[in-house]
Amino acid sequence: MSGIERLGQRQARRRLWRRRGRELAKYLPLVPFLIFALFPLYFMLVTSLKSDAELYDLKAVPFLIQQGIDFGHYLYLLSTPFLTWMKNSLLVSSLSTAISVCIGILAAYSLARLRFPAANSFGTGIFITYLVPTSLLFLPLSRVIHGFGLSDSKWALVLTYPTFLVPFSTWLLMGYFRTVPKEVEECAMVDGCTRLQALIRIVLPMAIPGIVCAVLFSFTLSWNEFIYALTFTSSSEELTATVGITTELIRGDIYYWGSLMAGAMLGSIPIVLVYVFFMDYYVSGLTAGAVK
Amino acid sequence: MAVTEARARTLLGQRLGAAWQAVHAFFQREAVMGMTFVAPAFLILLVLVAYPFCMALYLSLTDAFVGRPGKFVGLRNFVALLQDSTFRQTLRNAFVFTGASVALKTVLGLMLALTLNQNLKCKRFFRGAVLLPWVIPSALGVLGWWWMFDSLYSVINWTLVHLGLVAPPGPNWLGRKDLAMIAVIMVNTWRGLPFFAISMLAGLVAIPQELYEAAATDGAGKLSKFWYITLPMLKPVLAIVVLFSTIFTMSNFEIVYVLTGGGPMNSTHLFATLTRQVGLESGYLGTGAAISLFLFPVLVFVVYFQLKLARRETL
Amino acid sequence: MDAQCTSKLTRRHFLAATAAGAAWAALGAPAVHAQERLITMLAWSNFAPHSDVVLDQLAQRFTKETKIAVRIDHMHHRQLIAKWAAEVESQAGHDIGVLRMHFPWLYANHLLDVSDIAEELEKKHGPWYDFAKEVALVDGVWRAVPYYYASFPCIYREDLFQQVEEPVPQTYDDLLRAGRKLKKLGHPAGFAMSQAAYDGISTLSTILWSFGSRPVAADGKTVTLNSPETVEALEWVKAFYNEAMTEEVLSWDDGSNNRFIASGRGSWIHNPISAYVVPKRKNMPIVEKLNFHVPPAGPRGERHTVTIPRSVGIWKWTKDPEAAREFVRYLFRDDVYSEYIMAGDNFNHPIFRDMENHEVWNIDPKYKVLKELGKISHIYGWPAPPTEKSQLVTNKFILPIMAAKAVTGTPIKEAIAWAEAEIKKIYAA
């Protein structure tokens, strides 16, 4: 091996290292963000799996489990109405999502495609209601709910969640309907289809990504909703997971951290599962609003 | 007998069919169809948004209390609120909380978006990971933070103390006015950052590469590319995300409700938590409605900007 | 898009939908039930869970005796406030309510007069404790029957007090002296001064009253917070905060002081006995070292503490007031009452003076001292009547905020002036 060759090799190796370094530098800035995003979740998981003895030991290392994994807190959840809350969440979220997306499809199609008086002001109106926060309305709305005879009932949530889901899905779907070329639809109508049929057979299939997106987001928003659920329901058997976990697992001044964290983990799992499977829709949905 | 009955039935069928055709034709008209399709949405928003909103307006002008009919008191609730130190504190908190959170989310979100926009391996994994805090129920995520800020068992303080950065027992996160505010801002940032980052990432992806290439041939550096291309191109996305976030941050409820209850010394109360404390837990419906209505001017302001922006975009 | 696109298909759908609608309407007709007497009661989910089980058993026995069915619902106490508000707004719901603290006052207009039952019980058991009268006797009418109460003793580490050679504190000066030594030992004392814990209101009310301070006078109108006694009390609080406690008390929630004493770090707290009962149930060794004492006396010998009493009231909207009354009477029958009280590990103290010798006090020898507390207990807002105004003073955490201000640098006078203005505003409205 000649000296020149060796020199060349060394240079190549150095170049390789430099490239690796540069490569690493791309990932380095991600580290603090990843820690910030994931550590609280990791810590919740660890806390939920610790025995009480270790959890309340001042000398223990908080982010490690050293005295063995303990499923006691998860088992404890079974002695509470936890499963009822999960079922309620599932019921309320699915129903209000179904209702809202259906209503949203109709409204969005109409606003995106049909010409009728006051269409523009409808559009603006829906947009404005999307921006009316729930915390402005929960107080008077509790009286309206009461007027419907739905105080302390999960059906009150099925009724009220569409107030923020409909504007949202309408707004999202309008964008998607606009991307379906008008000509395709007109063609179908020339062939003898009514508008409704054209909508169902032609436009909807083409807007499926948008609809999936609206369903996902509506489901997530209803599953995560807190203030309406906290205000309109109070009996244990009517509560949703978010409210049940944050209020009923806190028994006055008794120790609860382990089970609270266990509840928070399990209460998040359905949404995380949905999210893992449909992540691309999430991202496109999130960005649709911002880019369009 | 049987024959006439059958004929009558077909006749009826035909009549019904004709009526149906007429109805059908009516609904086929674009205007009618348009209005029909919008009607359900309109109805829901009328009964469950517009009506309660008017009711909030009315309640705020009365001294209504749970179980008792209210009397009309004019603007007394609003005047009393403006003279109330707790409310004024809440007003200040809301602006500090919103301003700081949105600013943090914007800056960090942009940094994260730029990082994610590189040519990375496992792109999906990284995006998925940073999105998680935004996906899980915020009320449940906050519980984790609550335990992380606990005065006795705080993992943050444990780490700081063991790294030798602070003397034990470490900062009293939820017990000091400034630290409690920092804590709630931190949690809000944790929760909202993914939304900013992913939206801006989409904005970044949408910037045509040719612009950068053209700039490169002109000899532009990284910084000037960022300043003269990235930022201006990102502006519309940025504006919308910021305005949205302003509303939802300003009206935030669960972070403060779970973490501090508005304390210490009312230093973290927001409109929503104060409304609940006064209006629901103490039964003063009139005052509670008045508190929540103070969100409205902010809302109007933001919506106005939003619409103005949207118009300019479409023109 | 040809044959399929005729309107036949949609018409069929239309007809089907109409039929479905009719069927739905038919199903909606109310089912006819056999006539039976049923009363419903709503109570909180007791922190001593076994007492809820026993309550259900007692109700079943009542049904056997009288043929009146009873349904008892339990609800988490934090949800109960909104639930009562909803029932009152709709004038419908449960027949009987187990009402916390001031709720008989708050909803007096919606509760039946149960003076006959209360007066009978008074004849049988002797005069009511003051606090029992204060919560349920509204303008001369009993709106509910006092049922049981939770007490607020001081809980302290016997071993640590011995180690610093301090006796059980008799006065607040004793407590401060002991606290100083204990903090130096690495075991501070603690009571909440935050907005996340009602405990803070309990302890601060206790201290203020014992020093002779009365935030609002008994007439329920005059705000008397700004007094030399309040200044004196806050000076003590400030000294205790600086020399015996740590900053953490400013962030405490209702569970913090329990963890504080059970972790072995704390040496003294003021809390219901759950702080002792839970570690006991979990067999934590710390229990051996814990004991109770009556809250200390103020500078002029006054002793007070807070209680959380619960009373049974009958709502005006009940359809069967006679059955409801009968059930309430049944709950107070000697054997029934005794069985219920025994089920709660003395978390629910008997409300009758003549039961200070009841066997419930013997469940644990350490409980004996607790029976002194009933005589010196009051509810939030005392001596003013517990109206909605008093409730707002509580819910706005005015007393803990005043104290927190005073110990974090605001001059005491200024902190008091702030709280006085806040309370005056509430009472003037």
Side-chain angles (χ1 to χ4, degrees):
Chain A
M1 208 183 272
S2 75
I4 296 172
E5 263 177 33
R6 205 173 289 157
L7 199 72
Q9 226 170 25
R10 203 183 292 158
Q11 258 175 354
R13 207 177 299 144
R14 203 179 293 153
R15 225 175 291 140
L16 186 74
W17 276 111
R18 206 177 295 154
R19 203 183 312 137
R20 275 193 193 154
R22 227 179 292 140
E23 193 68 7
L24 202 69
K26 284 203 313 202
Y27 292 90
L28 219 55
L30 265 176
V31 175
F33 285 109
L34 283 175
I35 293 177
F36 183 49
L38 298 182
F39 179 71
L41 304 174
Y42 163 75
F43 186 59
M44 285 163 82
L45 181 68
V46 165
T47 306
S48 71
L49 288 170
K50 268 186 195 182
S51 65
D52 265 350
E54 186 177 0
L55 190 53
Y56 298 115
D57 183 355
L58 281 171
K59 292 185 194 81
V61 181
F63 38 64
L64 296 176
I65 306 176
Q66 290 168 318
Q67 300 175 15
I69 288 178
D70 182 88
F71 288 100
H73 301 304
Y74 288 89
L75 291 177
Y76 169 77
L77 286 181
L78 296 177
S79 71
T80 66
F82 181 75
L83 290 177
T84 314
W85 303 332
M86 294 291 273
K87 257 184 265 167
N88 287 345
S89 270
L90 205 61
L91 177 85
V92 168
S93 307
S94 334
L95 271 180
S96 46
T97 298
I99 295 172
S100 308
V101 172
C102 287
I103 294 178
I105 287 174
L106 291 178
Y109 177 75
S110 162
L111 292 174
R113 275 297 154 82
L114 304 174
R115 268 159 298 140
F116 60 97
N120 272 338
S121 23
F122 269 135
T124 315
I126 283 178
F127 186 69
I128 289 176
T129 48
Y130 177 38
L131 294 177
V132 174
T134 48
S135 43
L136 196 148
L137 287 179
F138 72 97
L139 192 68
L141 205 51
S142 69
R143 291 198 133 192
V144 177
I145 290 303
H146 166 72
F148 282 116
L150 288 176
S151 301
D152 192 14
S153 158
K154 49 185 168 289
W155 298 106
L157 305 181
V158 177
L159 188 73
T160 48
Y161 284 2
T163 56
F164 53 86
L165 298 182
V166 166
F168 170 74
S169 23
T170 307
W171 185 66
L172 189 85
L173 287 169
M174 267 165 73
Y176 276 95
F177 285 148
R178 287 210 181 103
T179 61
V180 177
K182 250 187 184 150
E183 295 72 36
V184 181
E185 202 182 339
E186 276 159 9
C187 219
M189 282 164 67
V190 169
D191 284 349
C193 269
T194 62
R195 223 180 227 290
L196 196 66
Q197 286 157 344
L199 168 63
I200 293 170
R201 301 233 170 88
I202 312 289
V203 183
L204 284 192
M206 293 184 78
I208 275 185
I211 294 171
V212 173
C213 214
V215 168
L216 278 182
F217 270 79
S218 300
F219 191 82
T220 311
L221 285 176
S222 355
W223 188 280
N224 296 359
E225 206 282 334
F226 187 64
I227 190 167
Y228 280 0
L230 183 70
T231 310
F232 305 148
T233 57
S234 36
S235 301
S236 218
E237 57 271 27
E238 303 291 331
L239 298 182
T240 58
T242 46
V243 174
I245 290 161
T246 41
T247 60
E248 291 225 357
L249 290 187
I250 302 174
R251 282 257 156 151
D253 48 10
I254 300 172
Y255 307 86
Y256 42 68
W257 281 104
S259 47
L260 212 53
M261 293 301 131
M265 287 325 286
L266 291 184
S268 310
I269 278 179
I271 226 65
V272 172
L273 281 182
V274 170
Y275 159 73
V276 166
F277 285 115
F278 295 95
M279 197 184 94
D280 294 328
Y281 286 100
Y282 260 97
V283 175
S284 72
L286 254 184
T287 52
V291 181
K292 268 181 199 123
Chain B
M1 195 62 189
V3 176
T4 45
E5 202 174 84
R7 191 183 295 164
R9 210 178 282 159
T10 35
L11 210 67
L12 188 73
Q14 276 167 1
R15 290 254 170 87
L16 265 178
W20 171 247
Q21 288 293 347
V23 171
H24 198 241
F26 179 69
F27 277 106
Q28 272 301 111
R29 277 160 56 191
E30 202 169 307
V32 177
M33 195 181 201
M35 300 242 239
T36 320
F37 279 8
V38 173
F42 179 69
L43 213 70
I44 282 190
L45 300 182
L46 190 72
V47 177
L48 296 173
V49 178
Y51 173 63
F53 183 76
C54 295
M55 194 183 230
L57 279 177
Y58 168 75
L59 275 178
S60 71
L61 302 176
T62 69
D63 62 353
F65 188 86
V66 172
R68 285 172 223 170
K71 274 196 320 288
F72 184 81
V73 295
L75 291 174
R76 213 163 69 191
N77 288 331
F78 291 93
V79 174
L81 275 179
L82 287 174
Q83 292 167 348
D84 182 56
S85 65
T86 309
F87 180 74
R88 283 207 301 256
Q89 174 80 48
T90 304
L91 213 62
R92 259 200 309 276
N93 297 342
F95 280 100
V96 172
F97 174 71
T98 311
S101 305
V102 173
L104 261 177
K105 283 184 279 191
T106 312
V107 174
L108 292 178
L110 187 58
M111 280 163 65
L112 183 53
L114 288 170
T115 316
L116 287 173
N117 195 32
Q118 301 172 100
N119 192 13
L120 298 177
K121 280 176 198 141
C122 312
K123 207 186 259 182
R124 276 174 56 85
F125 167 77
F126 288 124
R127 283 184 192 182
V130 296
L131 248 174
L132 263 181
W134 196 77
V135 176
I136 68 161
S138 137
L140 302 184
V142 179
L143 289 177
W145 282 94
W146 191 19
W147 186 226
M148 284 167 62
F149 288 131
D150 185 83
S151 59
L152 208 51
Y153 294 98
S154 165
V155 62
I156 301 176
N157 287 2
W158 189 92
T159 312
L160 292 178
V161 167
H162 279 78
L163 288 176
L165 294 176
V166 298
N172 184 16
W173 290 101
L174 304 178
R176 278 207 181 167
K177 288 181 179 183
D178 41 358
L179 288 178
M181 185 50 101
I182 290 175
V184 291
I185 290 171
M186 201 143 95
V187 178
N188 185 274
T189 307
W190 175 74
R191 161 95 180 142
L193 186 59
F195 172 66
F196 275 71
I198 299 294
S199 303
M200 285 191 223
L201 180 60
L204 287 177
V205 173
I207 300 176
Q209 280 304 312
E210 298 86 63
L211 286 179
Y212 290 111
E213 282 154 21
T217 51
D218 287 351
K222 262 190 174 168
L223 206 67
S224 55
K225 270 194 215 162
F226 174 76
W227 195 252
Y228 291 107
I229 302 174
T230 314
L231 264 192
M233 291 299 284
L234 218 50
K235 227 168 85 186
V237 179
L238 214 63
I240 288 181
V241 172
V242 164
L243 289 173
F244 258 79
S245 175
T246 305
I247 287 185
F248 291 110
T249 308
M250 184 78 91
S251 60
N252 190 287
F253 173 73
E254 53 261 42
I255 293 177
V256 168
Y257 179 78
V258 173
L259 218 52
T260 64
M265 292 173 255
N266 292 325
S267 58
T268 56
H269 249 316
L270 299 177
F271 291 110
T273 49
L274 192 67
T275 302
R276 186 174 163 91
Q277 187 185 75
V278 174
L280 273 176
E281 279 163 11
S282 310
Y284 286 80
L285 298 173
T287 317
I291 296 169
S292 66
L293 278 176
F294 269 94
L295 266 174
F296 192 61
V298 182
L299 184 74
V300 170
F301 179 77
V302 174
V303 170
Y304 171 77
F305 261 92
Q306 179 89 64
L307 287 178
K308 216 170 129 186
L309 206 88
R311 293 246 165 81
R312 210 177 44 206
E313 289 297 295
T314 49
L315 277 180
Chain C
M1 305 291 142
D2 37 46
Q4 280 182 318
C5 282
T6 61
S7 57
K8 235 184 204 161
L9 199 86
T10 36
R11 186 170 66 215
R12 205 188 314 138
H13 282 165
F14 172 76
L15 291 173
T18 318
W24 185 74
L27 277 176
V32 182
H33 281 295
Q35 277 290 321
E36 63 174 19
R37 290 178 89 185
L38 168 77
I39 47 170
T40 55
M41 175 159 122
L42 179 59
W44 70 309
S45 307
N46 204 300
F47 284 172
H50 187 58
S51 60
D52 286 349
V53 179
V54 170
L55 191 61
D56 276 333
Q57 289 166 359
L58 293 169
Q60 279 162 19
R61 247 183 275 156
F62 173 77
T63 307
K64 241 181 236 163
E65 283 175 27
T66 59
K67 302 280 172 280
I68 300 169
V70 182
R71 198 188 81 221
I72 302 175
D73 295 322
H74 296 278
M75 190 176 281
H76 193 261
H77 72 293
R78 293 221 297 190
Q79 309 283 354
L80 213 44
I81 302 169
K83 179 70 176 174
W84 289 138
E87 293 202 353
V88 166
E89 284 269 287
S90 58
Q91 294 290 305
H94 295 81
D95 301 294
I96 304 173
V98 177
L99 305 168
R100 190 176 59 98
M101 276 201 167
H102 59 290
F103 277 74
W105 262 87
L106 196 64
Y107 293 132
N109 297 337
H110 307 280
L111 289 162
L112 287 180
D113 180 351
V114 287
S115 302
D116 50 339
I117 303 176
E119 278 157 16
E120 266 166 42
L121 288 169
E122 186 163 23
K123 241 175 252 159
K124 198 160 109 197
H125 295 285
W128 292 101
Y129 287 120
D130 289 342
F131 71 82
K133 264 191 190 164
E134 285 155 18
V135 290
L137 185 63
V138 186
D139 298 326
V141 176
W142 288 91
R143 291 294 168 187
V145 187
Y147 195 14
Y148 54 82
Y149 71 102
S151 60
F152 260 86
C154 301
I155 302 172
Y156 70 107
R157 281 278 297 275
E158 241 174 340
D159 59 326
L160 294 176
F161 272 70
Q162 275 162 13
Q163 202 179 327
V164 297
E165 292 169 342
E166 280 290 336
V168 176
Q170 290 301 317
T171 66
Y172 281 94
D173 283 340
D174 290 348
L175 181 57
L176 178 58
R177 202 182 53 242
R180 274 185 200 129
K181 295 185 193 167
L182 289 161
K183 186 178 179 181
K184 276 200 196 105
L185 197 66
H187 293 281
F191 64 82
M193 277 191 249
S194 73
Q195 241 157 308
Y198 281 87
D199 282 349
I201 304 172
S202 304
T203 309
L204 285 160
S205 301
T206 299
I207 296 168
L208 286 174
W209 293 335
S210 301
F211 275 77
S213 156
R214 303 285 182 269
V216 181
D219 63 1
K221 288 185 191 112
T222 325
V223 179
T224 47
L225 180 72
N226 199 346
S227 66
E229 289 85 6
T230 309
V231 175
E232 200 182 347
L234 284 186
E235 270 163 3
W236 183 89
V237 168
K238 195 170 174 181
F240 197 67
Y241 171 82
N242 286 325
E243 298 166 46
M245 304 204 284
T246 64
E247 201 189 31
E248 62 199 301
V249 299
L250 298 176
S251 70
W252 274 4
D253 59 69
D254 277 323
S256 303
N257 54 356
N258 301 37
R259 291 196 293 276
F260 176 68
I261 196 116
S263 68
R265 180 173 143 79
S267 58
W268 179 95
I269 62 170
H270 180 228
N271 197 71
I273 65 169
S274 51
Y276 171 81
V277 173
V278 177
K280 189 172 131 186
R281 228 181 273 155
K282 297 197 174 205
N283 292 320
M284 291 164 77
I286 195 96
V287 175
E288 306 284 304
K289 301 173 187 162
L290 299 179
N291 207 343
F292 303 103
H293 73 82
V294 178
R300 283 159 292 280
E302 268 191 82
R303 257 185 222 262
H304 300 282
T305 187
V306 156
T307 172
I308 305 172
R310 287 188 157 79
S311 324
V312 193
I314 303 171
W315 296 104
K316 274 188 179 162
W317 53 77
T318 175
K319 299 235 164 50
D320 196 346
E322 282 319 304
R325 274 169 192 283
E326 212 175 323
F327 184 62
V328 173
R329 279 212 169 81
Y330 169 81
L331 287 178
F332 286 96
R333 211 170 75 190
D334 281 348
D335 56 327
V336 175
Y337 190 78
S338 193
E339 196 176 335
Y340 178 69
I341 288 296
M342 284 305 286
D345 198 14
N346 211 2
F347 188 76
N348 313 313
H349 302 318
I351 199 133
F352 301 111
R353 275 186 210 257
D354 65 348
M355 289 196 181
E356 279 170 19
N357 293 316
H358 193 277
E359 54 181 324
V360 75
W361 302 105
N362 303 330
I363 289 179
D364 184 322
K366 288 178 182 170
Y367 288 164
K368 281 225 163 61
V369 64
L370 300 178
K371 62 174 115 171
E372 302 304 314
L373 295 167
K375 297 165 204 163
I376 57 167
S377 286
H378 310 282
I379 68 159
Y380 297 159
W382 180 80
T387 55
E388 77 272 12
K389 289 176 175 161
S390 163
Q391 175 183 260
L392 189 57
V393 174
T394 300
N395 286 355
K396 288 185 103 178
F397 292 89
I398 291 173
L399 296 182
I401 293 174
M402 171 180 80
K405 277 178 190 263
V407 301
T408 53
T410 310
I412 286 177
K413 294 252 178 208
E414 233 172 81
I416 296 175
W418 171 83
E420 187 196 21
E422 287 287 304
I423 299 177
K424 273 192 173 155
K425 232 178 292 162
I426 290 169
Y427 274 87

